[in-house]
Amino acid sequence: MFYVDMGNLYNMKVMFMSMKNLALLLFVTLCQNLFAQTFSVSPKEELEKWQGAEYYDYDNRFQSASKTIVPMRLRYSKETEDTVLLLVIDSTLKDNKLYFKRPRKGLSAYEDLYYGAEMPGGEILLKSQFYIYRTQKQENELHIKKKIRLRNSYNFISRLDGISKNKVVLANTYNNSYKGRPYDNIRVSIFNMGTRMTEKSVKVDIGKGILLSHYGFNMIAKSDDYIAVSSPLKGEVYIMNNKLNVIDTVKINYSPILHTEQLLDSILPDKVLLENYGKAYLNLQIMSEYKIYLKPKIDKIAFVGNDLLFIMVHIDEAEYSGKHIDFVYSVKSKKFRNSNGVINGNNDLMSSQQILFNGTSYVTIDDSLGNDGIYHYYYTTSTIEDYNPDDAPVLSREKYPPISSLETIFDTTGIQYSYKDFDYIMFADVGSCSHCRFGSAYGKIMVVHVEENLGALSLSNKNLHKKKYELMFNSPKVFFAEKKILDPSIKINCIYKIDKR
């Protein structure tokens, strides 16, 4: 979180800038998008507001630019829930509840509201099997403004982009086979809530990979400019623009995925699928017997921001027990951060919960049942680290500001330092954020906090900025400077190597 001293008008301005930047700059742009693809995991936090004797399902979720919203669905209870409870975890990791009273008239028992989207302007959509509800927030309650009937059933909804308040993307990512056809396609549509018409629809054939549709909501991802659909057994991800035109096919460099496809073809040929029509449990038995769900495949995809696509690949359990390979792909540059991916042992990613990045972090929820019969719910946040020290540019010596022009606080040795005492330097302003975790990756680093008017910054405010940088790095040395002393070519919020020649 950002820390600000509210003791004077200047610092109130700083606070406003900080809160504005919090939603926009959840991670520092370090000259370019650099991802080491490692994760830091926060301590587990209990959601005390959710204690109770009833069990809630929490697998589905949706998000905005700064919130993760989890519909908590009452399960395994004889009670009929009239109110849908929404857990909201914002970018500062604070949680609260929203309430939505379900309309009961004319709805089937299967139309539980647990899909949703947040539109530009903050409007929250909730979707049942055949309806979209446009809501208006009043305090902690959502009230229906409009009820829109859909002609088809969908299990995915997202806003189309960051501008349109009427258009959404709808998709089916589950097996909806029918007699005479062994398996179905993923269907993606652009729907206009204003005209209540589907403007365009496409089908994506992913073969028998559609049979992995328990995890169907992990087969599709949406950012403001792009839609991604994975073909889990082909090792491919298809990238579409907002006109549903395929603009790129991303191929994963992990060939064992193809062995899973061949195995599924051998044990579930079309003849078997057609003969078992109406007896889906037989196919589930076969897939369980051969442990298809544990075989190599693309498990999950998610966008990190607008451009970067995170791809999680389930790898051979015999070779990497409990681990997976993660890839990060830039749609704009059409390049992987690491073409071979990075082996990861983060177990939270392996849960059945959908991955949605809020900035560079995602939320995982779990529960426990106490001896008193009360369920307790918890959440953790995992943050993808956005650093790569090898790629840091070198700051030439002639651009160093004089050490004597820098200030320190609570350090009597301050000005006795020289640039040769450090390996890296970062000039940062109020836009940098403590959500970023670099740990010891940059070794000995000096952070120079830059202000236009350093004299207007109180000691309290300086100390809070110092604490912020200490969260970002392991034992950084924090200095303060006015922007006017810096060479104009120095980029703020960029980490440089120090030239020690």
PDB file of all heavy atoms in Angstrom, residues 205-235:
ATOM      1  N   ASP A 205     -12.194 -25.109 -32.696  1.00  0.00           N
ATOM      2  CA  ASP A 205     -12.128 -26.564 -32.563  1.00  0.00           C
ATOM      3  C   ASP A 205     -10.866 -26.948 -31.789  1.00  0.00           C
ATOM      4  O   ASP A 205      -9.751 -26.739 -32.257  1.00  0.00           O
ATOM      5  CB  ASP A 205     -12.109 -27.203 -33.957  1.00  0.00           C
ATOM      6  CG  ASP A 205     -12.102 -28.729 -33.896  1.00  0.00           C
ATOM      7  OD1 ASP A 205     -12.139 -29.278 -32.778  1.00  0.00           O
ATOM      8  OD2 ASP A 205     -12.057 -29.355 -34.961  1.00  0.00           O
ATOM      9  N   ILE A 206     -11.030 -27.486 -30.582  1.00  0.00           N
ATOM     10  CA  ILE A 206      -9.873 -27.934 -29.808  1.00  0.00           C
ATOM     11  C   ILE A 206      -9.870 -29.456 -29.659  1.00  0.00           C
ATOM     12  O   ILE A 206      -9.213 -30.012 -28.774  1.00  0.00           O
ATOM     13  CB  ILE A 206      -9.800 -27.248 -28.430  1.00  0.00           C
ATOM     14  CG1 ILE A 206     -10.970 -27.657 -27.537  1.00  0.00           C
ATOM     15  CG2 ILE A 206      -9.738 -25.742 -28.579  1.00  0.00           C
ATOM     16  CD1 ILE A 206     -10.773 -27.228 -26.089  1.00  0.00           C
ATOM     17  N   GLY A 207     -10.610 -30.131 -30.541  1.00  0.00           N
ATOM     18  CA  GLY A 207     -10.580 -31.587 -30.553  1.00  0.00           C
ATOM     19  C   GLY A 207     -11.063 -32.189 -29.246  1.00  0.00           C
ATOM     20  O   GLY A 207     -11.944 -31.650 -28.576  1.00  0.00           O
ATOM     21  N   LYS A 208     -10.479 -33.307 -28.866  1.00  0.00           N
ATOM     22  CA  LYS A 208     -10.915 -33.989 -27.651  1.00  0.00           C
ATOM     23  C   LYS A 208     -10.460 -33.271 -26.383  1.00  0.00           C
ATOM     24  O   LYS A 208     -10.813 -33.685 -25.270  1.00  0.00           O
ATOM     25  CB  LYS A 208     -10.412 -35.436 -27.652  1.00  0.00           C
ATOM     26  CG  LYS A 208     -11.084 -36.302 -28.723  1.00  0.00           C
ATOM     27  CD  LYS A 208     -10.665 -37.742 -28.592  1.00  0.00           C
ATOM     28  CE  LYS A 208     -11.411 -38.623 -29.587  1.00  0.00           C
ATOM     29  NZ  LYS A 208     -10.993 -38.392 -30.976  1.00  0.00           N
ATOM     30  N   GLY A 209      -9.687 -32.209 -26.540  1.00  0.00           N
ATOM     31  CA  GLY A 209      -9.336 -31.405 -25.378  1.00  0.00           C
ATOM     32  C   GLY A 209     -10.555 -30.818 -24.692  1.00  0.00           C
ATOM     33  O   GLY A 209     -10.507 -30.473 -23.506  1.00  0.00           O
ATOM     34  N   ILE A 210     -11.671 -30.722 -25.422  1.00  0.00           N
ATOM     35  CA  ILE A 210     -12.903 -30.197 -24.836  1.00  0.00           C
ATOM     36  C   ILE A 210     -13.404 -31.106 -23.724  1.00  0.00           C
ATOM     37  O   ILE A 210     -14.165 -30.696 -22.847  1.00  0.00           O
ATOM     38  CB  ILE A 210     -13.990 -30.016 -25.931  1.00  0.00           C
ATOM     39  CG1 ILE A 210     -15.107 -29.063 -25.461  1.00  0.00           C
ATOM     40  CG2 ILE A 210     -14.575 -31.360 -26.342  1.00  0.00           C
ATOM     41  CD1 ILE A 210     -14.686 -27.634 -25.401  1.00  0.00           C
ATOM     42  N   LEU A 211     -12.964 -32.371 -23.716  1.00  0.00           N
ATOM     43  CA  LEU A 211     -13.391 -33.310 -22.681  1.00  0.00           C
ATOM     44  C   LEU A 211     -12.765 -32.992 -21.325  1.00  0.00           C
ATOM     45  O   LEU A 211     -13.128 -33.590 -20.315  1.00  0.00           O
ATOM     46  CB  LEU A 211     -13.053 -34.751 -23.094  1.00  0.00           C
ATOM     47  CG  LEU A 211     -13.789 -35.224 -24.360  1.00  0.00           C
ATOM     48  CD1 LEU A 211     -13.227 -36.529 -24.858  1.00  0.00           C
ATOM     49  CD2 LEU A 211     -15.280 -35.347 -24.089  1.00  0.00           C
ATOM     50  N   LEU A 212     -11.801 -32.074 -21.297  1.00  0.00           N
ATOM     51  CA  LEU A 212     -11.217 -31.628 -20.031  1.00  0.00           C
ATOM     52  C   LEU A 212     -12.003 -30.455 -19.469  1.00  0.00           C
ATOM     53  O   LEU A 212     -11.481 -29.643 -18.709  1.00  0.00           O
ATOM     54  CB  LEU A 212      -9.752 -31.216 -20.243  1.00  0.00           C
ATOM     55  CG  LEU A 212      -8.839 -32.296 -20.814  1.00  0.00           C
ATOM     56  CD1 LEU A 212      -7.493 -31.699 -21.200  1.00  0.00           C
ATOM     57  CD2 LEU A 212      -8.653 -33.430 -19.829  1.00  0.00           C
ATOM     58  N   SER A 213     -13.282 -30.370 -19.824  1.00  0.00           N
ATOM     59  CA  SER A 213     -14.032 -29.135 -19.595  1.00  0.00           C
ATOM     60  C   SER A 213     -14.456 -28.908 -18.157  1.00  0.00           C
ATOM     61  O   SER A 213     -15.119 -27.936 -17.865  1.00  0.00           O
ATOM     62  CB  SER A 213     -15.274 -29.108 -20.503  1.00  0.00           C
ATOM     63  OG  SER A 213     -16.065 -30.263 -20.288  1.00  0.00           O
ATOM     64  N   HIS A 214     -14.109 -29.797 -17.211  1.00  0.00           N
ATOM     65  CA  HIS A 214     -14.299 -29.421 -15.805  1.00  0.00           C
ATOM     66  C   HIS A 214     -13.577 -28.123 -15.520  1.00  0.00           C
ATOM     67  O   HIS A 214     -13.967 -27.352 -14.675  1.00  0.00           O
ATOM     68  CB  HIS A 214     -13.593 -30.389 -14.860  1.00  0.00           C
ATOM     69  CG  HIS A 214     -14.140 -31.712 -14.851  1.00  0.00           C
ATOM     70  ND1 HIS A 214     -14.485 -32.404 -15.944  1.00  0.00           N
ATOM     71  CD2 HIS A 214     -14.404 -32.501 -13.789  1.00  0.00           C
ATOM     72  CE1 HIS A 214     -14.893 -33.588 -15.579  1.00  0.00           C
ATOM     73  NE2 HIS A 214     -14.855 -33.675 -14.288  1.00  0.00           N
ATOM     74  N   TYR A 215     -12.410 -27.964 -16.195  1.00  0.00           N
ATOM     75  CA  TYR A 215     -11.586 -26.775 -15.996  1.00  0.00           C
ATOM     76  C   TYR A 215     -11.827 -25.786 -17.138  1.00  0.00           C
ATOM     77  O   TYR A 215     -10.938 -25.055 -17.520  1.00  0.00           O
ATOM     78  CB  TYR A 215     -10.109 -27.181 -15.937  1.00  0.00           C
ATOM     79  CG  TYR A 215      -9.849 -28.271 -14.921  1.00  0.00           C
ATOM     80  CD1 TYR A 215      -9.606 -29.569 -15.317  1.00  0.00           C
ATOM     81  CD2 TYR A 215      -9.871 -27.978 -13.564  1.00  0.00           C
ATOM     82  CE1 TYR A 215      -9.386 -30.567 -14.386  1.00  0.00           C
ATOM     83  CE2 TYR A 215      -9.649 -28.970 -12.625  1.00  0.00           C
ATOM     84  CZ  TYR A 215      -9.405 -30.266 -13.032  1.00  0.00           C
ATOM     85  OH  TYR A 215      -9.193 -31.246 -12.113  1.00  0.00           O
ATOM     86  N   GLY A 216     -13.048 -25.808 -17.657  1.00  0.00           N
ATOM     87  CA  GLY A 216     -13.355 -25.025 -18.844  1.00  0.00           C
ATOM     88  C   GLY A 216     -13.080 -23.558 -18.702  1.00  0.00           C
ATOM     89  O   GLY A 216     -12.687 -22.888 -19.651  1.00  0.00           O
ATOM     90  N   PHE A 217     -13.295 -22.990 -17.493  1.00  0.00           N
ATOM     91  CA  PHE A 217     -13.066 -21.552 -17.338  1.00  0.00           C
ATOM     92  C   PHE A 217     -11.590 -21.209 -17.323  1.00  0.00           C
ATOM     93  O   PHE A 217     -11.223 -20.049 -17.220  1.00  0.00           O
ATOM     94  CB  PHE A 217     -13.750 -21.018 -16.079  1.00  0.00           C
ATOM     95  CG  PHE A 217     -13.575 -21.864 -14.853  1.00  0.00           C
ATOM     96  CD1 PHE A 217     -12.339 -22.028 -14.254  1.00  0.00           C
ATOM     97  CD2 PHE A 217     -14.674 -22.508 -14.315  1.00  0.00           C
ATOM     98  CE1 PHE A 217     -12.199 -22.806 -13.129  1.00  0.00           C
ATOM     99  CE2 PHE A 217     -14.532 -23.302 -13.180  1.00  0.00           C
ATOM    100  CZ  PHE A 217     -13.305 -23.451 -12.584  1.00  0.00           C
ATOM    101  N   ASN A 218     -10.711 -22.220 -17.390  1.00  0.00           N
ATOM    102  CA  ASN A 218      -9.276 -21.957 -17.505  1.00  0.00           C
ATOM    103  C   ASN A 218      -8.798 -22.025 -18.947  1.00  0.00           C
ATOM    104  O   ASN A 218      -7.613 -21.865 -19.216  1.00  0.00           O
ATOM    105  CB  ASN A 218      -8.487 -22.950 -16.663  1.00  0.00           C
ATOM    106  CG  ASN A 218      -8.676 -22.721 -15.178  1.00  0.00           C
ATOM    107  OD1 ASN A 218      -8.621 -21.598 -14.710  1.00  0.00           O
ATOM    108  ND2 ASN A 218      -8.933 -23.782 -14.445  1.00  0.00           N
ATOM    109  N   MET A 219      -9.693 -22.317 -19.901  1.00  0.00           N
ATOM    110  CA  MET A 219      -9.319 -22.440 -21.305  1.00  0.00           C
ATOM    111  C   MET A 219      -9.413 -21.118 -22.051  1.00  0.00           C
ATOM    112  O   MET A 219      -9.020 -21.039 -23.213  1.00  0.00           O
ATOM    113  CB  MET A 219     -10.208 -23.464 -22.003  1.00  0.00           C
ATOM    114  CG  MET A 219     -10.012 -24.889 -21.514  1.00  0.00           C
ATOM    115  SD  MET A 219     -11.096 -26.035 -22.408  1.00  0.00           S
ATOM    116  CE  MET A 219     -10.684 -27.581 -21.602  1.00  0.00           C
ATOM    117  N   ILE A 220      -9.946 -20.097 -21.412  1.00  0.00           N
ATOM    118  CA  ILE A 220     -10.138 -18.820 -22.097  1.00  0.00           C
ATOM    119  C   ILE A 220      -9.686 -17.685 -21.187  1.00  0.00           C
ATOM    120  O   ILE A 220      -9.817 -17.774 -19.962  1.00  0.00           O
ATOM    121  CB  ILE A 220     -11.616 -18.625 -22.527  1.00  0.00           C
ATOM    122  CG1 ILE A 220     -11.776 -17.368 -23.399  1.00  0.00           C
ATOM    123  CG2 ILE A 220     -12.540 -18.580 -21.338  1.00  0.00           C
ATOM    124  CD1 ILE A 220     -13.123 -17.287 -24.089  1.00  0.00           C
ATOM    125  N   ALA A 221      -9.105 -16.640 -21.773  1.00  0.00           N
ATOM    126  CA  ALA A 221      -8.651 -15.470 -21.010  1.00  0.00           C
ATOM    127  C   ALA A 221      -8.963 -14.225 -21.823  1.00  0.00           C
ATOM    128  O   ALA A 221      -8.995 -14.264 -23.053  1.00  0.00           O
ATOM    129  CB  ALA A 221      -7.158 -15.557 -20.711  1.00  0.00           C
ATOM    130  N   LYS A 222      -9.181 -13.111 -21.128  1.00  0.00           N
ATOM    131  CA  LYS A 222      -9.560 -11.867 -21.800  1.00  0.00           C
ATOM    132  C   LYS A 222      -8.812 -10.698 -21.185  1.00  0.00           C
ATOM    133  O   LYS A 222      -8.728 -10.572 -19.962  1.00  0.00           O
ATOM    134  CB  LYS A 222     -11.075 -11.635 -21.649  1.00  0.00           C
ATOM    135  CG  LYS A 222     -11.591 -10.379 -22.352  1.00  0.00           C
ATOM    136  CD  LYS A 222     -11.643 -10.575 -23.847  1.00  0.00           C
ATOM    137  CE  LYS A 222     -12.159  -9.332 -24.580  1.00  0.00           C
ATOM    138  NZ  LYS A 222     -11.167  -8.248 -24.670  1.00  0.00           N
ATOM    139  N   SER A 223      -8.218  -9.871 -22.037  1.00  0.00           N
ATOM    140  CA  SER A 223      -7.728  -8.563 -21.615  1.00  0.00           C
ATOM    141  C   SER A 223      -8.527  -7.532 -22.392  1.00  0.00           C
ATOM    142  O   SER A 223      -9.412  -7.881 -23.174  1.00  0.00           O
ATOM    143  CB  SER A 223      -6.227  -8.429 -21.888  1.00  0.00           C
ATOM    144  OG  SER A 223      -5.968  -8.323 -23.279  1.00  0.00           O
ATOM    145  N   ASP A 224      -8.244  -6.260 -22.227  1.00  0.00           N
ATOM    146  CA  ASP A 224      -9.048  -5.254 -22.928  1.00  0.00           C
ATOM    147  C   ASP A 224      -8.918  -5.352 -24.443  1.00  0.00           C
ATOM    148  O   ASP A 224      -9.864  -5.040 -25.169  1.00  0.00           O
ATOM    149  CB  ASP A 224      -8.667  -3.849 -22.458  1.00  0.00           C
ATOM    150  CG  ASP A 224      -9.410  -3.445 -21.186  1.00  0.00           C
ATOM    151  OD1 ASP A 224     -10.379  -4.143 -20.827  1.00  0.00           O
ATOM    152  OD2 ASP A 224      -9.019  -2.451 -20.566  1.00  0.00           O
ATOM    153  N   ASP A 225      -7.767  -5.788 -24.941  1.00  0.00           N
ATOM    154  CA  ASP A 225      -7.563  -5.809 -26.390  1.00  0.00           C
ATOM    155  C   ASP A 225      -7.557  -7.205 -27.011  1.00  0.00           C
ATOM    156  O   ASP A 225      -7.649  -7.332 -28.224  1.00  0.00           O
ATOM    157  CB  ASP A 225      -6.240  -5.125 -26.750  1.00  0.00           C
ATOM    158  CG  ASP A 225      -6.287  -3.624 -26.512  1.00  0.00           C
ATOM    159  OD1 ASP A 225      -7.402  -3.061 -26.497  1.00  0.00           O
ATOM    160  OD2 ASP A 225      -5.217  -3.018 -26.334  1.00  0.00           O
ATOM    161  N   TYR A 226      -7.425  -8.255 -26.174  1.00  0.00           N
ATOM    162  CA  TYR A 226      -7.222  -9.582 -26.738  1.00  0.00           C
ATOM    163  C   TYR A 226      -8.080 -10.641 -26.042  1.00  0.00           C
ATOM    164  O   TYR A 226      -8.450 -10.497 -24.877  1.00  0.00           O
ATOM    165  CB  TYR A 226      -5.750  -9.998 -26.616  1.00  0.00           C
ATOM    166  CG  TYR A 226      -4.780  -9.000 -27.188  1.00  0.00           C
ATOM    167  CD1 TYR A 226      -3.953  -8.248 -26.361  1.00  0.00           C
ATOM    168  CD2 TYR A 226      -4.703  -8.794 -28.571  1.00  0.00           C
ATOM    169  CE1 TYR A 226      -3.064  -7.323 -26.881  1.00  0.00           C
ATOM    170  CE2 TYR A 226      -3.819  -7.867 -29.101  1.00  0.00           C
ATOM    171  CZ  TYR A 226      -3.003  -7.127 -28.246  1.00  0.00           C
ATOM    172  OH  TYR A 226      -2.133  -6.211 -28.768  1.00  0.00           O
ATOM    173  N   ILE A 227      -8.371 -11.696 -26.800  1.00  0.00           N
ATOM    174  CA  ILE A 227      -9.032 -12.892 -26.282  1.00  0.00           C
ATOM    175  C   ILE A 227      -8.107 -14.067 -26.591  1.00  0.00           C
ATOM    176  O   ILE A 227      -7.598 -14.182 -27.706  1.00  0.00           O
ATOM    177  CB  ILE A 227     -10.398 -13.129 -26.961  1.00  0.00           C
ATOM    178  CG1 ILE A 227     -11.289 -11.892 -26.821  1.00  0.00           C
ATOM    179  CG2 ILE A 227     -11.096 -14.364 -26.384  1.00  0.00           C
ATOM    180  CD1 ILE A 227     -12.454 -11.857 -27.783  1.00  0.00           C
ATOM    181  N   ALA A 228      -7.885 -14.932 -25.611  1.00  0.00           N
ATOM    182  CA  ALA A 228      -7.038 -16.104 -25.810  1.00  0.00           C
ATOM    183  C   ALA A 228      -7.840 -17.361 -25.517  1.00  0.00           C
ATOM    184  O   ALA A 228      -8.577 -17.421 -24.535  1.00  0.00           O
ATOM    185  CB  ALA A 228      -5.806 -16.042 -24.906  1.00  0.00           C
ATOM    186  N   VAL A 229      -7.717 -18.358 -26.383  1.00  0.00           N
ATOM    187  CA  VAL A 229      -8.367 -19.659 -26.196  1.00  0.00           C
ATOM    188  C   VAL A 229      -7.291 -20.727 -26.318  1.00  0.00           C
ATOM    189  O   VAL A 229      -6.536 -20.748 -27.294  1.00  0.00           O
ATOM    190  CB  VAL A 229      -9.475 -19.899 -27.244  1.00  0.00           C
ATOM    191  CG1 VAL A 229     -10.057 -21.302 -27.087  1.00  0.00           C
ATOM    192  CG2 VAL A 229     -10.570 -18.848 -27.118  1.00  0.00           C
ATOM    193  N   SER A 230      -7.215 -21.618 -25.330  1.00  0.00           N
ATOM    194  CA  SER A 230      -6.176 -22.650 -25.366  1.00  0.00           C
ATOM    195  C   SER A 230      -6.719 -23.957 -25.930  1.00  0.00           C
ATOM    196  O   SER A 230      -7.883 -24.294 -25.751  1.00  0.00           O
ATOM    197  CB  SER A 230      -5.616 -22.897 -23.966  1.00  0.00           C
ATOM    198  OG  SER A 230      -6.568 -23.537 -23.145  1.00  0.00           O
ATOM    199  N   SER A 231      -5.853 -24.659 -26.626  1.00  0.00           N
ATOM    200  CA  SER A 231      -6.122 -26.028 -27.060  1.00  0.00           C
ATOM    201  C   SER A 231      -5.211 -26.913 -26.217  1.00  0.00           C
ATOM    202  O   SER A 231      -4.040 -27.115 -26.551  1.00  0.00           O
ATOM    203  CB  SER A 231      -5.821 -26.184 -28.552  1.00  0.00           C
ATOM    204  OG  SER A 231      -6.177 -27.476 -28.993  1.00  0.00           O
ATOM    205  N   PRO A 232      -5.703 -27.420 -25.089  1.00  0.00           N
ATOM    206  CA  PRO A 232      -4.818 -28.003 -24.067  1.00  0.00           C
ATOM    207  C   PRO A 232      -4.010 -29.204 -24.522  1.00  0.00           C
ATOM    208  O   PRO A 232      -2.901 -29.421 -24.044  1.00  0.00           O
ATOM    209  CB  PRO A 232      -5.789 -28.384 -22.939  1.00  0.00           C
ATOM    210  CG  PRO A 232      -7.141 -28.389 -23.554  1.00  0.00           C
ATOM    211  CD  PRO A 232      -7.114 -27.419 -24.673  1.00  0.00           C
ATOM    212  N   LEU A 233      -4.528 -30.004 -25.484  1.00  0.00           N
ATOM    213  CA  LEU A 233      -3.820 -31.205 -25.914  1.00  0.00           C
ATOM    214  C   LEU A 233      -3.022 -31.006 -27.203  1.00  0.00           C
ATOM    215  O   LEU A 233      -2.316 -31.918 -27.635  1.00  0.00           O
ATOM    216  CB  LEU A 233      -4.794 -32.368 -26.087  1.00  0.00           C
ATOM    217  CG  LEU A 233      -5.556 -32.759 -24.813  1.00  0.00           C
ATOM    218  CD1 LEU A 233      -6.458 -33.959 -25.065  1.00  0.00           C
ATOM    219  CD2 LEU A 233      -4.598 -33.039 -23.672  1.00  0.00           C
ATOM    220  N   LYS A 234      -3.121 -29.832 -27.799  1.00  0.00           N
ATOM    221  CA  LYS A 234      -2.293 -29.508 -28.960  1.00  0.00           C
ATOM    222  C   LYS A 234      -1.111 -28.626 -28.560  1.00  0.00           C
ATOM    223  O   LYS A 234      -0.208 -28.378 -29.358  1.00  0.00           O
ATOM    224  CB  LYS A 234      -3.123 -28.798 -30.041  1.00  0.00           C
ATOM    225  CG  LYS A 234      -4.109 -29.695 -30.768  1.00  0.00           C
ATOM    226  CD  LYS A 234      -4.779 -28.937 -31.903  1.00  0.00           C
ATOM    227  CE  LYS A 234      -5.634 -29.866 -32.772  1.00  0.00           C
ATOM    228  NZ  LYS A 234      -6.776 -30.435 -32.034  1.00  0.00           N
ATOM    229  N   GLY A 235      -1.144 -28.118 -27.324  1.00  0.00           N
ATOM    230  CA  GLY A 235      -0.069 -27.239 -26.881  1.00  0.00           C
ATOM    231  C   GLY A 235      -0.077 -25.910 -27.606  1.00  0.00           C
ATOM    232  O   GLY A 235       0.985 -25.336 -27.875  1.00  0.00           O
TER     233      GLY A 235
END
